[in-house]
Structures are given as structure tokens and as C-alpha cells.
Amino acid sequence: MRLPATYASAQNPADKLQLNADNTFSLQEGGQGYQGTFAANGNTVELNISGGSKTTATIQGNNLTDGSGQTWVLGEQSARSAAGDAVLQNQDVIKLVKAGLDDTLIIAKIGSSKCQFDTSTDALIQLKQSGVSAAVLKAVVAAGK
């Protein structure tokens, strides 16, 4: 199971279950908010709601079925998770270059990502000294505007 993960109720999409990396969860169901902790064991998740009640859920693929038989569907945003929503920055370009990725691929990544580049003189010099090619530098400058 990849965390964090957000599930929406198949019966009522406004109801949400958020499982966090620190083994806490928040649940919005029927206009009520709940919180607690959870423990995952294989495809079974035990939810311990603050205040004493417990329920067990089973995960199959992108679906989670709770103890009452309600189905929850893994949300698109959590499937993409941090990598998909991350903002590409100068240090990310340096990592891609150091990993030996092709300029064409790095430029494509820049073009398809949210970018927040530092295009100051010093930052561009640092990129160049880190092995970033002229073509990738041009893409960084163009995306930085």
C-alpha cells in the first residue's frame, strides 16, 4: 500500500478516507469527521477511531471495502501522489542529469511538469557546473518565466 492514499466512497463521493504515512487517518462520512490510527497487515486495514470503535477494511486493487460492506475507491490524486504533484526545481534537474538521463527526456519532463526554477545568474552557473547542457538550460529558463 502506498501512502498517503485518499479513498472516496463509491456510494457517496463526498465521503473521503485519507490514510497518512504516519499511520493516522481522517474520515469524512455523512457530514461527520472522524480521526484515528490504522494498522495495515497485507490487504487488511484495521481502523481505530478515536473514542474507541474499530473497524476492519479489505483492500483489493484500487478498492477498499469497509466492515459494513461499503466500497471506497482510491482517488486519482493519491495514485499520482507526491511525484505527480511535485514542483520541478533546479535540484531536480541536477538529479536527472547526474542519473544520466538524456537531454530530450529531461526537456520533456520540464515541459510536462509544474516548474519553479531559480533562473538567477548564480543558479544558472550552478546548473552548468553540475553538468546541465545548454539545451536543458534553455528549457529551464523558458519554463522559469
Side-chain angles (χ1 to χ4, degrees):
M1 175 170 36
R2 291 174 52 174
L3 298 172
T6 302
Y7 290 85
S9 168
Q11 291 82 0
N12 183 1
D15 291 348
K16 304 271 189 218
L17 171 63
Q18 172 73 39
L19 301 176
N20 301 309
D22 64 355
N23 284 49
T24 62
F25 74 89
S26 59
L27 171 64
Q28 192 68 32
E29 185 176 27
Q32 297 287 321
Y34 305 93
Q35 295 182 342
T37 59
F38 72 92
N41 185 9
N43 67 339
T44 302
V45 177
E46 183 178 276
L47 300 169
N48 298 301
I49 299 169
S50 296
S53 61
K54 291 182 181 182
T55 188
T56 301
T58 304
I59 297 175
Q60 290 184 315
N62 287 338
N63 293 336
L64 181 145
T65 305
D66 68 20
S68 65
Q70 186 171 346
T71 300
W72 299 75
V73 180
L74 184 63
E76 180 185 335
Q77 73 190 46
S78 50
R80 291 178 1 183
S81 109
D85 294 330
V87 175
L88 204 61
Q89 297 181 326
N90 293 36
Q91 63 268 25
D92 299 312
V93 172
I94 292 169
K95 280 186 205 172
L96 294 171
V97 168
K98 295 220 184 275
L101 296 177
D102 180 78
D103 283 358
T104 310
L105 183 63
I106 296 171
I107 293 167
K109 176 75 174 160
I110 291 169
S112 67
S113 300
K114 292 179 191 173
C115 299
Q116 187 177 13
F117 293 123
D118 178 355
T119 57
S120 67
T121 302
D122 288 342
L124 292 174
I125 290 168
Q126 182 185 12
L127 285 168
K128 182 66 179 166
Q129 290 174 341
S130 297
V132 177
S133 72
V136 173
L137 283 172
K138 286 178 190 171
V140 167
V141 171
K145 293 183 180 182

